[in-house]
Amino acid sequence: GNSVTQMEGPVTLSEEAFLTINCTYTATGYPSLFWYVQYPGEGLQLLLKATKADDKGSNKGFEATYRKETTSFHLEKGSVQVSDSAVYFCALGHTGRRALTFGSGTRLQVQP
Amino acid sequence: DTAVSQTPKYLVTQMGNDKSIKCEQNLGHDTMYWYKQDSKKFLKIMFSYNNKELIINETVPNRFSPKSPDKAHLNLHINSLELGDSAVYFCASSLRTGVNEKLFFGSGTQLSVL
């Protein structure tokens, strides 16, 4: 079946540091890939997505590239801010199912 | 105005009780979902409705029963609560059904069964 594996957190960084949160997936065919973010006290919200291999999703300084050869969709940001502190969820959408498959989330803590 | 709102935010109850969680969306979306976040923090789909019709019903105990009185509301009723039901339950909606549709989530209901 489909599955998503994320690096365990928490990830603790200083402000302006470079961020990478790893995400790998297992699926047949060509799934769509997503990153959702959950800020404290709020629901998850879509951060970015990529629907085919080699696509790059980007938003708010975050980027992720759909790598089919490594079945990965790592999230990156060049310079994190305290306001980026949140839980980040990688997710997979497959046409064989009508709901997303989520990873377990990675908590990011950015210190001033 | 909150786009997807669910109540209550916290729910503490005894084993064996029956409880409901309510969800409402004011986005005009056709599709609504219930996800459960388990102890390992994975979000797993439980149910989905499209315009009041059940379209996803994962392997969930019969004690869980969703109800959609209209397309803006999707409630979750749980009978005979068990310790293992303790989790965070998220409601979500999307404009239509499809894996590329953007999901809008509520802020979650933390259920604790004692």
Side-chain angles (χ1 to χ4, degrees):
Chain A
N2 301 333
S3 67
V4 175
T5 302
Q6 292 182 233
M7 59 191 290
E8 284 200 28
V11 173
T12 303
L13 296 173
S14 298
E15 212 165 17
E16 300 183 3
F18 184 85
L19 168 71
T20 300
I21 299 178
N22 290 338
C23 170
T24 56
Y25 69 89
T26 302
T28 56
Y30 300 90
S32 297
L33 300 171
F34 306 82
W35 277 100
Y36 277 79
V37 58
Q38 184 183 22
Y39 297 104
E42 299 182 13
L44 285 75
Q45 52 187 280
L46 180 65
L47 180 60
L48 53 85
K49 71 177 185 181
T51 57
K52 59 182 190 294
D54 300 326
D55 267 3
K56 178 186 283 187
S58 60
N59 186 23
K60 298 182 182 180
F62 290 89
E63 292 182 341
T65 301
Y66 186 156
R67 303 280 189 206
K68 183 147 180 72
E69 62 275 14
T70 54
T71 61
S72 65
F73 193 55
H74 304 323
L75 183 68
E76 296 181 336
K77 187 175 186 183
S79 175
V80 293
Q81 305 301 313
V82 172
S83 57
D84 294 326
S85 298
V87 182
Y88 293 81
F89 291 87
C90 185
L92 174 159
H94 197 284
T95 51
R97 287 177 57 82
R98 285 181 283 188
L100 297 184
T101 299
F102 283 88
S104 56
T106 302
R107 181 175 297 278
L108 170 66
Q109 298 172 337
V110 180
Q111 298 174 338
Chain B
D1 238 5
T2 305
V4 181
S5 58
Q6 52 183 111
T7 56
K9 193 171 178 63
Y10 300 98
L11 184 52
V12 181
T13 188
Q14 300 287 330
M15 263 196 319
N17 284 351
D18 302 338
K19 291 293 179 184
S20 292
I21 306 172
K22 297 187 175 183
C23 180
E24 176 182 3
Q25 54 95 2
N26 62 6
L27 299 167
H29 288 172
D30 281 348
T31 308
M32 296 185 72
Y33 310 78
W34 278 110
Y35 277 86
K36 177 181 180 180
Q37 186 174 35
D38 63 22
S39 57
K40 295 186 178 179
K41 304 301 182 185
F42 287 93
L43 271 83
K44 296 182 179 176
I45 184 70
M46 300 175 69
F47 302 103
S48 177
Y49 273 73
N50 185 60
N51 207 4
K52 301 195 297 175
E53 180 186 345
L54 181 65
I55 58 170
I56 295 177
N57 185 354
E58 290 293 292
T59 307
V60 176
N62 290 338
R63 299 181 295 103
F64 289 78
S65 54
K67 283 191 172 49
S68 182
D70 55 63
K71 73 174 194 176
H73 296 83
L74 180 60
N75 304 322
L76 182 64
H77 189 74
I78 315 170
N79 288 328
S80 303
L81 278 156
E82 300 177 358
L83 293 176
D85 297 332
S86 296
V88 182
Y89 293 85
F90 286 96
C91 177
S93 72
S94 60
L95 183 60
R96 59 184 74 85
T97 302
V99 294
N100 289 329
E101 291 295 316
K102 179 177 178 180
L103 295 181
F104 292 76
F105 281 83
S107 55
T109 295
Q110 185 164 332
L111 172 63
S112 299
V113 182
L114 307 178

